[in-house]
Amino acid sequence: MALPTGIITYLFTDIEGSTRMVQRLGTEFDEVLAEHNHIMREAIAAHDGVEVKTEGDSFFAVFQSPLACVNATVTAQRQLHNTSWREGGQVLVRMGAHTGEARMGGDDYIGIEVNRAARISGIAHGGQVIISYTTRSLIDNRLPADIELRDLGAHRLKDFDDPERVYQVVTPGLSVDFPPLRSAEVRHNLPPQSSEFVGREAESEAITHLVSTNRLVTLTGVGGSGKTRLALHVAGSMLDRFPGGVFDAGLPPW
């Protein structure tokens, strides 16, 4: 099947604690993995998703509809939860999704949006589904009655300067309460940005240095030159330097 293009939703999943399961079950893990793969493939196909590739117990799939992606995760999690596993326990799968523009690199997807989706999946716990702010904004008013989205706040993703606001998919019959996400939660009120920040590396570096060594830094320039966007980008990139948090304190007009 041809890989979809345009604006798509990326889904990454993997089994939590699979290495320990292999050590405990030995060759019997092959049967667990086969059943897990069957459940994942059926859920992806049932909601018109396309399996891009698998690696070990990890799945990478894409969907042309963000709502279809969320429905696929719910279908898969319910089936995983209701399956009688050989080991007598649960196979807990973490899932993360993000919507963005497709960039092709041969027979695979490449680019920042793929990396963002993978990082979102990486901060989830087994049995948990996490989606990005972008994905949430596209489906919030179209969710089935038995699915809701829980705001988990903004979190730092590995190798990303700006924090990502993420949401947990909540539905009856599945676990709802999980430990804190696998990231350092960021105390801030910086607004989410609708586009990736590109360029202006020299200005960003200079402002970062100034903020690190001065109590007050003022950006000046003509209206519309991007001062606010630049300031928010630098603020987001410095969150880990200020344990007390980083906040946008809007000033009234003169």
Side-chain angles (χ1 to χ4, degrees):
M1 181 182 295
L3 295 177
T5 57
I7 303 300
I8 61 174
T9 299
Y10 302 96
L11 172 67
F12 284 88
T13 78
D14 71 294
I15 299 176
E16 182 178 63
S18 59
T19 300
R20 292 191 299 274
M21 291 176 65
V22 171
Q23 294 174 338
R24 185 170 67 254
L25 298 176
T27 58
E28 292 183 359
F29 178 75
D30 294 345
E31 296 182 31
V32 172
L33 182 61
E35 181 63 19
H36 159 268
N37 292 352
H38 174 71
I39 291 171
M40 291 303 306
R41 290 193 170 106
E42 280 205 333
I44 292 168
H47 296 280
D48 299 320
V50 177
E51 178 185 330
V52 180
K53 61 184 176 181
T54 61
E55 183 176 341
D57 57 273
S58 302
F59 268 76
F60 174 26
V62 294
F63 298 77
Q64 290 187 308
S65 162
L67 183 58
C69 177
V70 169
N71 286 333
T73 64
V74 170
T75 297
Q77 291 287 21
R78 285 174 174 164
Q79 187 60 40
L80 290 163
H81 179 78
N82 293 328
T83 295
S84 297
W85 295 98
R86 182 180 182 86
E87 64 166 345
Q90 288 287 314
V91 172
L92 301 176
V93 177
R94 53 178 160 243
M95 304 182 182
H98 170 64
T99 303
E101 184 176 2
R103 285 188 57 201
M104 304 303 301
D107 59 353
D108 200 355
Y109 294 98
I110 60 173
I112 194 70
E113 306 298 0
V114 179
N115 295 337
R116 192 184 306 274
R119 294 289 188 258
I120 290 172
S121 175
I123 67 174
H125 294 277
Q128 190 175 34
V129 180
I130 302 296
I131 66 173
S132 70
Y133 173 85
T134 303
T135 302
R136 175 259 184 189
S137 66
L138 293 171
I139 65 173
D140 194 33
N141 296 324
R142 300 187 291 128
L143 286 170
D146 62 343
I147 298 177
E148 62 180 274
L149 301 177
R150 174 178 295 178
D151 187 350
L152 298 184
H155 292 261
R156 294 301 297 271
L157 304 178
K158 183 181 178 182
D159 300 326
F160 283 83
D161 289 337
D162 295 332
E164 180 74 35
R165 197 169 196 90
V166 295
Y167 298 79
Q168 177 181 318
V169 177
V170 176
T171 189
L174 299 181
S175 298
V176 174
D177 297 319
F178 294 91
L181 295 180
R182 302 169 186 269
S183 64
E185 189 163 352
V186 180
R187 292 184 59 202
H188 76 96
N189 68 342
L190 304 180
Q193 302 303 307
S194 59
S195 61
E196 180 184 354
F197 189 88
V198 179
R200 308 189 76 171
E201 290 87 357
E203 292 94 331
S204 298
E205 184 176 348
I207 296 169
T208 299
H209 174 71
L210 288 170
V211 172
S212 300
T213 55
N214 296 272
R215 297 186 63 184
L216 177 64
V217 176
T218 303
L219 305 187
T220 62
V222 299
S225 59
K227 301 184 296 298
T228 300
R229 183 69 177 90
L230 177 58
L232 290 173
H233 169 71
V234 172
S237 69
M238 300 185 72
L239 287 169
D240 56 356
R241 303 192 189 188
F242 297 95
V246 176
F247 298 91
D248 175 20
L251 297 176
W254 295 101

Short mmCIF file of all heavy atoms in Angstrom, two decimals, residues 126-168:
data_model
loop_
_atom_site.label_atom_id
_atom_site.label_comp_id
_atom_site.label_asym_id
_atom_site.label_seq_id
_atom_site.Cartn_x
_atom_site.Cartn_y
_atom_site.Cartn_z
N GLY A 126 3.12 2.29 29.87
CA GLY A 126 2.42 1.17 29.29
C GLY A 126 0.93 1.24 29.57
O GLY A 126 0.52 1.46 30.70
N GLY A 127 0.11 1.08 28.53
CA GLY A 127 -1.34 1.18 28.66
C GLY A 127 -1.87 2.59 28.45
O GLY A 127 -3.09 2.80 28.47
N GLN A 128 -0.99 3.55 28.24
CA GLN A 128 -1.37 4.95 28.12
C GLN A 128 -1.25 5.42 26.67
O GLN A 128 -0.34 5.02 25.95
CB GLN A 128 -0.46 5.79 29.02
CG GLN A 128 -0.87 7.24 29.18
CD GLN A 128 0.02 7.96 30.19
OE1 GLN A 128 1.22 7.67 30.30
NE2 GLN A 128 -0.53 8.88 30.94
N VAL A 129 -2.18 6.28 26.25
CA VAL A 129 -2.14 6.89 24.92
C VAL A 129 -1.99 8.40 25.11
O VAL A 129 -2.81 9.03 25.77
CB VAL A 129 -3.42 6.59 24.11
CG1 VAL A 129 -3.33 7.25 22.73
CG2 VAL A 129 -3.65 5.10 23.98
N ILE A 130 -0.95 8.97 24.51
CA ILE A 130 -0.66 10.39 24.61
C ILE A 130 -0.68 11.00 23.21
O ILE A 130 -0.10 10.42 22.28
CB ILE A 130 0.72 10.65 25.25
CG1 ILE A 130 0.78 10.03 26.65
CG2 ILE A 130 1.02 12.14 25.32
CD1 ILE A 130 -0.18 10.61 27.62
N ILE A 131 -1.34 12.15 23.05
CA ILE A 131 -1.35 12.84 21.77
C ILE A 131 -0.88 14.27 21.94
O ILE A 131 -0.92 14.83 23.04
CB ILE A 131 -2.74 12.81 21.10
CG1 ILE A 131 -3.75 13.63 21.92
CG2 ILE A 131 -3.23 11.37 20.93
CD1 ILE A 131 -5.09 13.79 21.23
N SER A 132 -0.44 14.88 20.84
CA SER A 132 0.07 16.24 20.88
C SER A 132 -1.05 17.26 20.87
O SER A 132 -2.21 16.95 20.57
CB SER A 132 0.99 16.48 19.67
OG SER A 132 0.21 16.50 18.47
N TYR A 133 -0.68 18.50 21.16
CA TYR A 133 -1.63 19.61 21.10
C TYR A 133 -2.21 19.75 19.69
O TYR A 133 -3.40 20.00 19.52
CB TYR A 133 -0.93 20.91 21.51
CG TYR A 133 -1.77 22.15 21.32
CD1 TYR A 133 -2.66 22.56 22.30
CD2 TYR A 133 -1.66 22.91 20.16
CE1 TYR A 133 -3.44 23.70 22.13
CE2 TYR A 133 -2.43 24.06 19.98
CZ TYR A 133 -3.31 24.44 20.96
OH TYR A 133 -4.08 25.56 20.79
N THR A 134 -1.36 19.57 18.68
CA THR A 134 -1.83 19.68 17.29
C THR A 134 -2.90 18.65 16.99
O THR A 134 -3.95 18.98 16.41
CB THR A 134 -0.65 19.51 16.32
OG1 THR A 134 0.36 20.47 16.62
CG2 THR A 134 -1.10 19.68 14.88
N THR A 135 -2.65 17.40 17.36
CA THR A 135 -3.64 16.35 17.11
C THR A 135 -4.92 16.62 17.87
O THR A 135 -6.02 16.50 17.32
CB THR A 135 -3.06 14.98 17.51
OG1 THR A 135 -1.85 14.74 16.78
CG2 THR A 135 -4.05 13.86 17.22
N ARG A 136 -4.79 17.02 19.11
CA ARG A 136 -5.97 17.32 19.92
C ARG A 136 -6.81 18.42 19.30
O ARG A 136 -8.05 18.35 19.27
CB ARG A 136 -5.52 17.70 21.33
CG ARG A 136 -6.66 18.16 22.25
CD ARG A 136 -6.69 19.66 22.35
NE ARG A 136 -7.70 20.12 23.29
CZ ARG A 136 -8.05 21.38 23.43
NH1 ARG A 136 -7.48 22.32 22.69
NH2 ARG A 136 -8.99 21.73 24.30
N SER A 137 -6.17 19.47 18.78
CA SER A 137 -6.91 20.60 18.22
C SER A 137 -7.71 20.22 16.98
O SER A 137 -8.70 20.87 16.65
CB SER A 137 -5.94 21.74 17.88
OG SER A 137 -5.07 21.37 16.83
N LEU A 138 -7.31 19.14 16.31
CA LEU A 138 -8.00 18.71 15.10
C LEU A 138 -9.17 17.77 15.37
O LEU A 138 -10.00 17.55 14.49
CB LEU A 138 -7.00 18.02 14.16
CG LEU A 138 -5.91 18.91 13.57
CD1 LEU A 138 -4.88 18.07 12.84
CD2 LEU A 138 -6.52 19.93 12.62
N ILE A 139 -9.24 17.21 16.56
CA ILE A 139 -10.28 16.20 16.83
C ILE A 139 -11.16 16.53 18.02
O ILE A 139 -12.15 15.83 18.27
CB ILE A 139 -9.65 14.82 17.07
CG1 ILE A 139 -8.80 14.83 18.36
CG2 ILE A 139 -8.83 14.37 15.89
CD1 ILE A 139 -8.28 13.48 18.77
N ASP A 140 -10.85 17.59 18.76
CA ASP A 140 -11.51 17.84 20.03
C ASP A 140 -13.03 17.88 19.93
O ASP A 140 -13.73 17.41 20.82
CB ASP A 140 -11.00 19.15 20.62
CG ASP A 140 -11.37 19.31 22.09
OD1 ASP A 140 -11.43 18.28 22.79
OD2 ASP A 140 -11.60 20.44 22.53
N ASN A 141 -13.56 18.43 18.87
CA ASN A 141 -15.01 18.56 18.72
C ASN A 141 -15.65 17.39 17.99
O ASN A 141 -16.86 17.41 17.73
CB ASN A 141 -15.34 19.87 17.99
CG ASN A 141 -14.93 21.09 18.77
OD1 ASN A 141 -15.02 21.10 20.00
ND2 ASN A 141 -14.45 22.11 18.08
N ARG A 142 -14.86 16.37 17.67
CA ARG A 142 -15.40 15.24 16.90
C ARG A 142 -15.20 13.90 17.59
O ARG A 142 -15.38 12.85 16.98
CB ARG A 142 -14.74 15.21 15.51
CG ARG A 142 -14.98 16.48 14.70
CD ARG A 142 -14.46 16.35 13.28
NE ARG A 142 -13.02 16.31 13.25
CZ ARG A 142 -12.31 15.38 12.63
NH1 ARG A 142 -12.92 14.37 12.02
NH2 ARG A 142 -10.98 15.42 12.61
N LEU A 143 -14.85 13.93 18.85
CA LEU A 143 -14.59 12.69 19.56
C LEU A 143 -15.87 11.91 19.82
O LEU A 143 -16.92 12.50 20.08
CB LEU A 143 -13.92 12.98 20.91
CG LEU A 143 -12.46 13.41 20.87
CD1 LEU A 143 -12.04 13.90 22.24
CD2 LEU A 143 -11.58 12.25 20.42
N PRO A 144 -15.81 10.58 19.79
CA PRO A 144 -16.96 9.78 20.21
C PRO A 144 -17.32 10.08 21.66
O PRO A 144 -16.49 10.55 22.45
CB PRO A 144 -16.45 8.33 20.06
CG PRO A 144 -15.34 8.41 19.07
CD PRO A 144 -14.69 9.76 19.30
N ALA A 145 -18.56 9.79 22.02
CA ALA A 145 -19.05 10.14 23.36
C ALA A 145 -18.28 9.44 24.46
O ALA A 145 -18.22 9.95 25.59
CB ALA A 145 -20.54 9.81 23.46
N ASP A 146 -17.68 8.29 24.19
CA ASP A 146 -17.00 7.53 25.24
C ASP A 146 -15.49 7.80 25.29
O ASP A 146 -14.76 7.09 25.97
CB ASP A 146 -17.25 6.03 25.06
CG ASP A 146 -16.69 5.49 23.75
OD1 ASP A 146 -16.42 6.31 22.83
OD2 ASP A 146 -16.55 4.26 23.62
N ILE A 147 -15.03 8.81 24.58
CA ILE A 147 -13.61 9.16 24.61
C ILE A 147 -13.46 10.63 25.00
O ILE A 147 -14.16 11.49 24.47
CB ILE A 147 -12.94 8.92 23.24
CG1 ILE A 147 -13.01 7.43 22.86
CG2 ILE A 147 -11.48 9.38 23.27
CD1 ILE A 147 -12.43 7.14 21.48
N GLU A 148 -12.57 10.90 25.92
CA GLU A 148 -12.26 12.28 26.28
C GLU A 148 -10.75 12.46 26.34
O GLU A 148 -9.99 11.48 26.38
CB GLU A 148 -12.90 12.67 27.61
CG GLU A 148 -12.40 11.86 28.79
CD GLU A 148 -13.07 12.30 30.08
OE1 GLU A 148 -12.55 13.26 30.69
OE2 GLU A 148 -14.08 11.69 30.46
N LEU A 149 -10.32 13.71 26.36
CA LEU A 149 -8.90 14.02 26.38
C LEU A 149 -8.56 14.75 27.68
O LEU A 149 -9.21 15.75 28.02
CB LEU A 149 -8.52 14.89 25.18
CG LEU A 149 -8.82 14.27 23.81
CD1 LEU A 149 -8.46 15.25 22.70
CD2 LEU A 149 -8.07 12.96 23.63
N ARG A 150 -7.57 14.26 28.39
CA ARG A 150 -7.15 14.85 29.65
C ARG A 150 -5.88 15.65 29.43
O ARG A 150 -4.87 15.12 28.97
CB ARG A 150 -6.93 13.76 30.69
CG ARG A 150 -6.36 14.25 32.02
CD ARG A 150 -6.21 13.14 33.02
NE ARG A 150 -7.50 12.58 33.41
CZ ARG A 150 -7.64 11.56 34.25
NH1 ARG A 150 -6.57 10.99 34.78
NH2 ARG A 150 -8.84 11.12 34.56
N ASP A 151 -5.93 16.93 29.77
CA ASP A 151 -4.78 17.82 29.60
C ASP A 151 -3.71 17.46 30.63
O ASP A 151 -3.94 17.56 31.83
CB ASP A 151 -5.24 19.27 29.77
CG ASP A 151 -4.15 20.28 29.43
OD1 ASP A 151 -2.99 19.88 29.26
OD2 ASP A 151 -4.49 21.47 29.35
N LEU A 152 -2.54 17.06 30.16
CA LEU A 152 -1.43 16.70 31.05
C LEU A 152 -0.39 17.80 31.15
O LEU A 152 0.66 17.61 31.78
CB LEU A 152 -0.77 15.40 30.57
CG LEU A 152 -1.66 14.15 30.55
CD1 LEU A 152 -0.85 12.94 30.14
CD2 LEU A 152 -2.34 13.92 31.88
N GLY A 153 -0.66 18.95 30.53
CA GLY A 153 0.26 20.06 30.62
C GLY A 153 1.39 19.99 29.61
O GLY A 153 1.40 19.15 28.71
N ALA A 154 2.33 20.89 29.76
CA ALA A 154 3.47 20.99 28.84
C ALA A 154 4.65 20.20 29.37
O ALA A 154 4.95 20.25 30.57
CB ALA A 154 3.85 22.45 28.64
N HIS A 155 5.32 19.50 28.48
CA HIS A 155 6.44 18.64 28.88
C HIS A 155 7.59 18.80 27.91
O HIS A 155 7.39 19.02 26.71
CB HIS A 155 6.00 17.18 28.93
CG HIS A 155 5.03 16.89 30.02
ND1 HIS A 155 5.40 16.34 31.23
CD2 HIS A 155 3.70 17.11 30.11
CE1 HIS A 155 4.33 16.22 32.00
NE2 HIS A 155 3.29 16.69 31.34
N ARG A 156 8.79 18.67 28.45
CA ARG A 156 9.97 18.72 27.61
C ARG A 156 10.16 17.39 26.91
O ARG A 156 10.09 16.34 27.52
CB ARG A 156 11.22 19.04 28.45
CG ARG A 156 11.23 20.41 29.08
CD ARG A 156 11.15 21.52 28.05
NE ARG A 156 12.29 21.54 27.14
CZ ARG A 156 13.41 22.19 27.37
NH1 ARG A 156 13.56 22.87 28.49
NH2 ARG A 156 14.39 22.17 26.49
N LEU A 157 10.43 17.46 25.62
CA LEU A 157 10.76 16.29 24.82
C LEU A 157 12.25 16.32 24.51
O LEU A 157 12.80 17.39 24.23
CB LEU A 157 9.95 16.27 23.52
CG LEU A 157 8.43 16.34 23.65
CD1 LEU A 157 7.79 16.36 22.27
CD2 LEU A 157 7.89 15.17 24.47
N LYS A 158 12.87 15.19 24.53
CA LYS A 158 14.30 15.11 24.27
C LYS A 158 14.65 15.74 22.92
O LYS A 158 14.01 15.46 21.91
CB LYS A 158 14.75 13.65 24.29
CG LYS A 158 16.25 13.47 24.11
CD LYS A 158 16.63 12.00 24.12
CE LYS A 158 18.12 11.82 23.87
NZ LYS A 158 18.51 10.38 23.84
N ASP A 159 15.66 16.61 22.92
CA ASP A 159 16.19 17.26 21.73
C ASP A 159 15.28 18.35 21.16
O ASP A 159 15.56 18.87 20.08
CB ASP A 159 16.50 16.24 20.62
CG ASP A 159 17.51 15.20 21.05
OD1 ASP A 159 18.42 15.55 21.83
OD2 ASP A 159 17.39 14.03 20.63
N PHE A 160 14.20 18.72 21.86
CA PHE A 160 13.32 19.79 21.41
C PHE A 160 13.45 20.97 22.38
O PHE A 160 13.40 20.78 23.60
CB PHE A 160 11.87 19.33 21.35
CG PHE A 160 11.55 18.48 20.15
CD1 PHE A 160 11.83 17.13 20.14
CD2 PHE A 160 10.98 19.05 19.02
CE1 PHE A 160 11.55 16.34 19.03
CE2 PHE A 160 10.69 18.28 17.91
CZ PHE A 160 10.98 16.92 17.91
N ASP A 161 13.60 22.16 21.83
CA ASP A 161 13.74 23.34 22.67
C ASP A 161 12.43 23.72 23.34
O ASP A 161 12.39 24.00 24.53
CB ASP A 161 14.25 24.53 21.84
CG ASP A 161 15.70 24.38 21.43
OD1 ASP A 161 16.43 23.63 22.11
OD2 ASP A 161 16.10 25.00 20.43
N ASP A 162 11.36 23.76 22.56
CA ASP A 162 10.08 24.21 23.07
C ASP A 162 9.31 23.05 23.70
O ASP A 162 9.32 21.94 23.16
CB ASP A 162 9.22 24.83 21.97
CG ASP A 162 9.85 26.10 21.41
OD1 ASP A 162 10.58 26.76 22.17
OD2 ASP A 162 9.61 26.42 20.23
N PRO A 163 8.65 23.26 24.83
CA PRO A 163 7.86 22.19 25.45
C PRO A 163 6.64 21.85 24.61
O PRO A 163 6.16 22.67 23.81
CB PRO A 163 7.45 22.80 26.80
CG PRO A 163 7.47 24.27 26.56
CD PRO A 163 8.59 24.52 25.59
N GLU A 164 6.15 20.67 24.77
CA GLU A 164 4.98 20.18 24.02
C GLU A 164 3.82 19.94 24.99
O GLU A 164 3.97 19.24 25.98
CB GLU A 164 5.32 18.87 23.31
CG GLU A 164 4.19 18.28 22.51
CD GLU A 164 3.92 19.05 21.23
OE1 GLU A 164 4.88 19.55 20.62
OE2 GLU A 164 2.72 19.13 20.84
N ARG A 165 2.70 20.55 24.70
CA ARG A 165 1.50 20.28 25.51
C ARG A 165 0.89 18.98 25.03
O ARG A 165 0.66 18.80 23.83
CB ARG A 165 0.49 21.42 25.38
CG ARG A 165 -0.56 21.41 26.48
CD ARG A 165 -1.38 22.67 26.49
NE ARG A 165 -2.11 22.81 27.74
CZ ARG A 165 -1.64 23.42 28.81
NH1 ARG A 165 -0.43 23.96 28.77
NH2 ARG A 165 -2.34 23.51 29.93
N VAL A 166 0.62 18.07 25.94
CA VAL A 166 0.14 16.75 25.55
C VAL A 166 -1.14 16.39 26.30
O VAL A 166 -1.44 16.96 27.37
CB VAL A 166 1.21 15.66 25.81
CG1 VAL A 166 2.43 15.88 24.92
CG2 VAL A 166 1.62 15.63 27.27
N TYR A 167 -1.86 15.45 25.74
CA TYR A 167 -3.17 15.05 26.26
C TYR A 167 -3.25 13.53 26.31
O TYR A 167 -2.76 12.84 25.42
CB TYR A 167 -4.30 15.60 25.37
CG TYR A 167 -4.31 17.11 25.32
CD1 TYR A 167 -3.41 17.80 24.50
CD2 TYR A 167 -5.18 17.85 26.11
CE1 TYR A 167 -3.39 19.18 24.48
CE2 TYR A 167 -5.17 19.24 26.08
CZ TYR A 167 -4.27 19.90 25.26
OH TYR A 167 -4.25 21.27 25.24
N GLN A 168 -3.89 13.03 27.36
CA GLN A 168 -4.10 11.59 27.50
C GLN A 168 -5.48 11.22 26.99
O GLN A 168 -6.48 11.88 27.30
CB GLN A 168 -3.98 11.18 28.96
CG GLN A 168 -4.24 9.69 29.22
CD GLN A 168 -4.12 9.35 30.69
OE1 GLN A 168 -3.22 9.82 31.37
NE2 GLN A 168 -5.04 8.54 31.18
#
